[in-house]
Amino acid sequence: MEKITFGYFLHHHPKQDGTHRIVLRITQARRHTYVDIGYSVKKEDWDNKKKEVKKTHRLYNEIQMVMDAKLMEAKKEYLTGRIHNENVSATQIKRKLRKEVVGDSFLEFADEYVQNLTNLNTQSSRESMLAKLKQYLGKDKSGRQKDLIFPELNYKFLTNYEKYLKRIGNGKNTIHGNIKFLKTIYNFALKTRHFRTSDNPFLEYTAPQEKSTRTRLKLFQIEAIENYQPNPGTPKFHARNIFLFSYYLQGMRVRDLLLLRWKQIKGDYLHYKSSKANKERPRKLHLRARHILDLYRPERPKANDYVFPYMAKVDEKKLTPKQWARATDAQNSKIRNQLMLIAKELGIEKLSMHVARHTFANIARQIIKDVYLVSDALDHSSIAVTEKYFGAASSEENDDLVKQIFGD
């Protein structure tokens, strides 16, 4: 086994804040391997003679403790190999250090984080994002998933991952969502002290984002859908009705509509708990909403029967929670496909259940001009979320604004 030596240095390239990363240099056969310990200091805070942080630095004790532990672990790994007459490379020591001293596997932590999510739809979405990350990392020669250690998730990794997502066809907002997911997990690890560092890459890196274009219908387009009369009992018939019912019920979410039961209809009100916001409230059933219900109401409705037929043949008891979530997603896809067929016939650019929600929000804002009431109706967690649903003010609205402020 070739001799390996160890020593601390400041990385010669400064970061944007003017500090330099502290790295452990592992030398074998005149070749150097560097391990970032997760801390950086300014040149004036580094004792180049002693190869350590000056005692005047506010984090001296913390950084010195990490440096000592890392160096000790590196030497231990090297000596263990020598005792057992095993070849230990500088790269192996680097990998060992990163995982056991500086931080655990980001992938393992992310997997656990996703599995603990309570909302199954959110969990499914995050699993897809995690699968994309694993695909980017690839597999080793033995076919095993390559790992990602916390310190490896740095600025350079994020910029390279952004390029990869763009290369596989992801748009700016999709890229933003995927990297925001990594940031959420990384910050959660810091908050729970699973991993510690003063070199958080997300403080320097900003994921690309652009204002999304949301489809919102005009009142005349809603009227066109109301006047559209497909044959009763057909897929288009059910898709039209559930779309309009969502709009009539203040943008009620598709999952809540798919699982709506007759026992939730009490007089002139529909009672339900929003699956996403977990808010329970009654919804007023006006005449047009009651007309939709009458299309499905049997002579003697059973309390536990679904109002809309989509989930009638799916037995929840035979499915796992994940399978059940996928079953509702599958029905939403069927509805979306039928709505797009209707949109084509009516000359509308796009129709989906979320379009019903956006349309209600925009029309309600134009009529009542109270964003707080609209936000509450949509069960949003904040006004900022609701504002994203709104389109730009029309020229007529702007003219009215000028008139109200300045007069004719």
Side-chain angles (χ1 to χ4, degrees), residues 387-399:
E387 287 174 336
K388 291 179 182 179
Y389 277 47
F390 300 149
S394 66
S395 58
E396 290 82 4
E397 288 178 301
N398 188 261
D399 290 347

Side-chain angles (χ1 to χ4, degrees), residues 227-320:
N227 294 328
Y228 180 77
Q229 298 294 329
N231 292 327
T234 61
K236 286 181 183 178
F237 174 82
H238 298 309
R240 166 205 179 266
N241 294 339
I242 200 170
F243 176 90
L244 288 174
F245 196 76
S246 171
Y247 170 72
Y248 296 155
L249 267 292
Q250 304 166 40
M252 191 171 173
R253 291 184 173 91
V254 63
R255 178 177 169 78
D256 297 322
L257 287 166
L258 289 171
L259 304 182
L260 182 64
R261 300 175 189 269
W262 286 108
K263 65 182 179 182
Q264 294 171 252
I265 311 298
K266 299 174 182 178
D268 289 339
Y269 287 89
L270 181 155
H271 297 259
Y272 84 106
K273 180 184 286 188
S274 171
S275 58
K276 190 170 182 179
N278 204 30
K279 290 182 181 179
E280 189 167 358
R281 65 173 66 204
R283 296 285 194 192
K284 176 73 174 177
L285 291 166
H286 51 79
L287 184 62
R288 283 186 283 180
R290 293 200 301 271
H291 174 68
I292 296 287
L293 290 178
D294 288 342
L295 296 174
Y296 293 91
R297 191 190 308 272
E299 208 170 307
R300 294 181 180 178
K302 294 180 181 179
N304 283 318
D305 282 356
Y306 294 116
V307 172
F308 296 99
Y310 293 99
M311 303 299 290
K313 296 181 180 179
V314 184
D315 190 347
E316 185 178 1
K317 295 177 182 178
K318 294 181 179 180
L319 302 177
T320 64

Side-chain angles (χ1 to χ4, degrees), residues 137-391:
L137 293 170
K139 299 184 183 296
D140 60 22
K141 292 180 180 179
S142 63
R144 290 180 299 182
Q145 173 67 54
K146 285 185 180 179
D147 205 354
L148 176 65
I149 311 303
F150 271 96
E152 293 174 333
L153 209 166
N154 51 32
Y155 185 89
K156 184 178 180 181
F157 177 90
L158 291 172
T159 55
N160 286 337
Y161 189 49
E162 177 191 325
K163 291 175 185 175
Y164 165 77
L165 293 174
K166 187 176 182 180
R167 193 164 61 247
I168 63 174
N170 288 175
K172 284 185 178 180
N173 289 344
T174 302
I175 293 172
H176 182 272
N178 276 266
I179 294 180
K180 184 181 177 183
F181 165 61
L182 301 188
K183 180 181 179 181
T184 299
I185 295 174
Y186 192 94
N187 287 339
F188 183 70
L190 293 177
K191 188 176 181 180
T192 57
R193 297 183 179 273
H194 183 85
F195 171 63
R196 293 186 180 187
T197 184
S198 62
D199 193 19
N200 186 338
F202 293 100
L203 297 179
E204 298 178 347
Y205 174 83
T206 303
Q209 189 178 18
E210 61 186 1
K211 190 171 183 179
S212 58
T213 304
R214 301 176 186 271
T215 302
R216 309 169 185 89
L217 305 185
K218 303 288 187 181
L219 275 173
F220 77 87
Q221 292 173 311
I222 288 292
E223 290 171 3
I225 297 171
E226 289 174 327
N227 294 328
Y228 180 77
Q229 298 294 329
N231 292 327
T234 61
K236 286 181 183 178
F237 174 82
H238 298 309
R240 166 205 179 266
N241 294 339
I242 200 170
F243 176 90
L244 288 174
F245 196 76
S246 171
Y247 170 72
Y248 296 155
L249 267 292
Q250 304 166 40
M252 191 171 173
R253 291 184 173 91
V254 63
R255 178 177 169 78
D256 297 322
L257 287 166
L258 289 171
L259 304 182
L260 182 64
R261 300 175 189 269
W262 286 108
K263 65 182 179 182
Q264 294 171 252
I265 311 298
K266 299 174 182 178
D268 289 339
Y269 287 89
L270 181 155
H271 297 259
Y272 84 106
K273 180 184 286 188
S274 171
S275 58
K276 190 170 182 179
N278 204 30
K279 290 182 181 179
E280 189 167 358
R281 65 173 66 204
R283 296 285 194 192
K284 176 73 174 177
L285 291 166
H286 51 79
L287 184 62
R288 283 186 283 180
R290 293 200 301 271
H291 174 68
I292 296 287
L293 290 178
D294 288 342
L295 296 174
Y296 293 91
R297 191 190 308 272
E299 208 170 307
R300 294 181 180 178
K302 294 180 181 179
N304 283 318
D305 282 356
Y306 294 116
V307 172
F308 296 99
Y310 293 99
M311 303 299 290
K313 296 181 180 179
V314 184
D315 190 347
E316 185 178 1
K317 295 177 182 178
K318 294 181 179 180
L319 302 177
T320 64
K322 280 189 179 181
Q323 289 173 330
W324 178 246
R326 290 193 189 103
T328 56
D329 286 343
Q331 295 304 321
N332 185 26
S333 294
K334 291 180 180 179
I335 294 170
R336 188 187 306 116
N337 292 338
Q338 293 301 316
L339 287 174
M340 287 304 294
L341 293 176
I342 294 173
K344 190 175 181 180
E345 289 185 45
L346 297 179
I348 297 172
E349 181 184 355
K350 177 184 176 183
L351 276 186
S352 71
M353 292 303 292
H354 225 56
V355 170
R357 191 168 168 80
H358 292 154
T359 300
F360 165 76
N362 208 43
I363 291 175
R365 191 267 303 176
Q366 291 172 352
I367 294 173
I368 65 172
K369 304 184 186 303
D370 189 332
V371 66
Y372 292 95
L373 277 177
V374 177
S375 183
D376 184 62
L378 292 166
D379 292 322
H380 279 161
S381 57
S382 70
I383 298 298
V385 177
T386 309
E387 287 174 336
K388 291 179 182 179
Y389 277 47
F390 300 149

